[in-house]
Amino acid sequence: MKGRLSPSTKLDFVLDFIDGIVGFGLFSGAALAAIVGQVVLGGVLVVLALGVFLRLKRRRVRK
């Protein structure tokens, strides 16, 4: 059992790794916010475009 890592040790390793990446400047909170913002904006635009497309399609079928 000496070679196995406990879940808390694995979590500590991952958090230390992320802290190291942020410390070196390879990743920042601003970059994460930009990525999340673009994904949300893209999702909103897709839903809006789909709604417009379905509405126009429904109008053509009625006429």
Side-chain angles (χ1 to χ4, degrees):
M1 286 225 173
K2 210 173 193 185
R4 299 181 83 180
L5 295 175
S6 67
S8 63
T9 306
K10 291 178 186 177
L11 180 64
D12 286 342
F13 175 75
V14 169
L15 292 177
D16 285 341
F17 182 72
I18 292 172
D19 189 38
I21 289 174
V22 170
F24 282 122
L26 300 175
F27 189 75
S28 68
L32 180 63
I35 292 168
V36 170
Q38 286 187 353
V39 169
V40 170
L41 179 62
V44 168
L45 291 176
V46 164
V47 169
L48 182 64
L50 187 61
V52 170
F53 174 73
L54 291 175
R55 185 172 179 176
L56 291 176
K57 184 179 177 184
R58 190 176 58 167
R59 280 188 180 177
R60 271 194 222 146
V61 171
R62 284 185 178 177
K63 290 181 179 182

